[in-house]
Amino acid sequence: MEPVDGKLDLEFGEDIPLSSTISSRKGVHPLVFETSSAMQREVPDSQLIKKLRISPFSSIYTVLIKAKINVLLPFGPLAILLHYLTHKHGWIFFLSLLGITPLAERLGYATEQLAFYTGPTVGGLLNATFGNATEMIISIYALKMGMIRVVQQSLLGSILSNMLLVLGCAFFTGGVVHHPKIQSFDKSAALMNSGLLLMAVMGITFPAVLHFTHTEVHFGKSELSLSRFSSGIMLVAYASYLFFQLRSQHNLYDPLDGETSNNIVEDSDDDETPEITYWEAIAWLAILTLWVSVLSGYLVDALQGASDSWNMPVAFISVILLPIVGNAAEHASAIMFAVKDKLDITLGVAIGSSTQISMFVIPFCVIVGWLMGQPMDLNFQLFETATLFVTVLVVAFMLQEGTSNYFKGLMLVLCYLIVAASFFVHNDVKED
């Protein structure tokens, strides 16, 4: 009789949660929607349709009003207004940063909602993709204006921020909350991402070494040709990694210990319920991406003026300030999952995002610059390349044990402060 009751509940639209007995019998996470089970897809839809009948504007309230960070949304239109009324580039840049911050976080939220309907594997890929949408949009606008160094430094800063600041804060917060317990995670996914990051470092290092050792066959052309070839290879490697992860070995990186699965099942009734429908999530992703692209144009346009008015190097703004805004969603998500003792998801957010920027976004920008006629290459200069190489090594050593604590997190954050101070006193050499 139990299946019949469940069917009647769905037909009459009663307000019932996802059945925990069904998930416990199958031994899987309630959020893992199997393609062969129609009932698990219908349950959240029926609940959401009922909510929408009660309040037709519930989606607008959920996305634009409910979150506290949305108090920063009005700063975006204010930045556009100042752009046409005044020439104070420092204020325009600052208000644009504040306006983009909640949009980046809301992009992550809409992606998480969409992940309820696509499943955890595709949802993780969508989260990493749209989590980096802000960086990609800013980079494309900067490329159109010929600001190649801003593109290189902002993408480098995103990698450094995710690997040191985001992961460090997550490890520190999780370690303090769960002290004296030592948190653990599956090493296989972390080591795989570390290998991809080292491959990206190799692709970025060779053009810089080729340039600064003056061993090019054709001066000024060989490094550009090498960068475009290496970018194609990196895109193929990243596509192969996605196929390996999603199709070939999609169960390789699942959590190994039963405690993690039990914790996920216990927490699912509290905070793992979709709040908007499938098509609403897609619509909000399109709207938020469009609004981010609009603000990014004003942000990039005011960058040089802000550097002059603040007496602050463009390198510091590009490497430190821009990535902090773009990584707002990853930062919040990584800390939240670390507090819940779900470090596998934390690593997927922080290290996975760094891997995607280094193996997909940077090569993608090189190809897009090629199509635009912009000489975007992988020569990030010696200072930036050395910083990235040391950062990847430090994080790889931190992850090799498969455990984390608050001291490891503190060391990563302190390393990020050293990097930030270095770029504050770094004079970016502009070469012809």
Side-chain angles (χ1 to χ4, degrees):
M1 294 300 293
E2 182 178 346
V4 175
D5 294 339
K7 184 175 182 180
L8 290 175
D9 289 342
L10 290 176
E11 290 177 350
F12 287 97
E14 294 184 7
D15 191 10
I16 60 172
L18 287 172
S19 175
S20 59
T21 58
I22 296 176
S23 61
S24 62
R25 284 198 304 266
K26 291 183 179 180
V28 297
H29 191 287
L31 294 181
V32 182
F33 299 148
E34 298 178 355
T35 55
S36 61
S37 176
M39 181 178 294
Q40 287 184 336
R41 289 196 301 269
E42 292 175 358
V43 171
D45 286 340
S46 62
Q47 293 176 345
L48 291 168
I49 291 173
K50 181 181 177 182
K51 289 182 180 179
L52 291 176
R53 288 175 180 171
I54 297 174
S55 176
F57 299 103
S58 61
S59 173
I60 298 177
Y61 170 79
T62 301
V63 177
L64 297 182
I65 301 175
K66 185 177 179 180
K68 296 179 180 179
I69 196 173
N70 287 335
V71 298
L72 300 177
L73 284 175
F75 289 109
L78 183 59
I80 298 176
L81 185 64
L82 284 179
H83 174 79
Y84 292 102
L85 297 180
T86 181
H87 296 287
K88 296 182 179 180
H89 295 287
W91 281 105
I92 297 173
F93 182 82
F94 178 69
L95 293 177
S96 298
L97 278 179
L98 292 180
I100 288 180
T101 301
L103 296 177
E105 192 276 335
R106 291 288 86 185
L107 271 174
Y109 169 80
T111 308
E112 290 173 0
Q113 295 298 307
L114 186 59
F116 281 95
Y117 306 97
T118 59
T121 305
V122 178
L125 176 62
L126 289 173
N127 192 17
T129 302
F130 281 95
N132 295 322
T134 306
E135 290 90 337
M136 291 185 66
I137 294 172
I138 293 176
S139 299
I140 291 175
Y141 269 92
L143 270 179
K144 290 175 62 177
M145 300 180 65
M147 304 173 69
I148 296 176
R149 290 296 292 155
V150 172
V151 176
Q152 293 176 333
Q153 291 171 343
S154 63
L155 294 178
L156 172 71
S158 295
I159 300 174
L160 300 177
S161 174
N162 276 308
M163 297 185 68
L164 295 178
L165 183 63
V166 175
L167 188 62
C169 290
F171 278 3
F172 180 81
T173 307
V176 170
V177 171
H178 295 281
H179 182 75
K181 174 187 175 182
I182 297 179
Q183 294 179 292
S184 60
F185 53 86
D186 184 19
K187 293 189 296 183
S188 56
L191 293 177
M192 178 65 72
N193 282 286
S194 298
L196 288 172
L197 287 169
L198 285 173
M199 179 180 178
V201 170
M202 183 177 68
I204 293 174
T205 300
F206 287 151
V209 173
L210 185 68
H211 175 80
F212 287 98
T213 55
H214 303 288
T215 56
E216 299 174 87
V217 176
H218 302 287
F219 182 77
K221 296 181 179 180
S222 296
E223 63 180 276
L224 185 59
S225 300
L226 176 61
S227 298
R228 290 168 177 172
F229 176 79
S230 299
S231 296
I233 297 298
M234 292 163 70
L235 290 175
V236 171
Y238 187 71
S240 303
Y241 165 69
L242 292 182
F243 179 81
F244 175 80
Q245 189 179 38
L246 299 179
R247 294 293 184 90
S248 178
Q249 299 288 337
H250 61 276
N251 293 324
L252 181 62
Y253 303 128
D254 290 342
L256 299 179
D257 44 350
E259 295 182 359
T260 303
S261 300
N262 293 334
N263 290 336
I264 294 176
V265 172
E266 291 175 0
D267 294 341
S268 61
D269 295 333
D270 298 333
D271 57 357
E272 303 288 1
T273 303
E275 299 178 353
I276 58 178
T277 64
Y278 175 81
W279 290 109
E280 284 176 342
I282 294 178
W284 279 114
L285 282 176
I287 294 172
L288 292 171
T289 302
L290 179 63
W291 185 229
V292 168
S293 65
V294 172
L295 278 183
S296 298
Y298 295 95
L299 180 74
V300 173
D301 185 61
L303 194 150
Q304 185 62 51
S307 174
D308 297 335
S309 61
W310 294 349
N311 194 24
M312 187 178 295
V314 175
F316 180 82
I317 296 177
S318 302
V319 176
I320 304 301
L321 296 185
L322 287 180
I324 289 179
V325 173
N327 294 332
E330 289 95 335
H331 208 148
S333 300
I335 293 178
M336 177 185 68
F337 287 121
V339 170
K340 295 180 179 180
D341 199 17
K342 302 176 183 178
L343 283 187
D344 292 300
I345 305 179
T346 296
L347 289 175
V349 171
I351 304 300
S353 180
S354 299
T355 302
Q356 188 172 55
I357 292 174
S358 60
M359 294 295 293
F360 173 72
V361 179
I362 291 178
F364 176 78
C365 288
V366 173
I367 302 300
V368 170
W370 189 5
L371 298 177
M372 290 182 177
Q374 298 288 349
M376 170 74 182
D377 57 17
L378 296 179
N379 179 14
F380 278 41
Q381 309 297 322
L382 286 180
F383 185 82
E384 288 86 346
T385 304
T387 303
L388 177 62
F389 178 66
V390 173
T391 298
V392 172
L393 285 183
V394 169
V395 174
F397 276 110
M398 292 288 185
L399 299 179
Q400 65 179 353
E401 294 180 354
T403 60
S404 74
N405 50 60
Y406 70 90
F407 181 65
K408 285 186 177 180
L410 179 62
M411 284 195 292
L412 291 176
V413 174
L414 294 179
C415 288
Y416 186 76
L417 294 180
I418 294 176
V419 170
S422 301
F423 277 97
F424 188 79
V425 298
H426 172 59
N427 182 24
D428 190 31
V429 179
K430 298 179 177 60
E431 300 182 3
D432 296 331

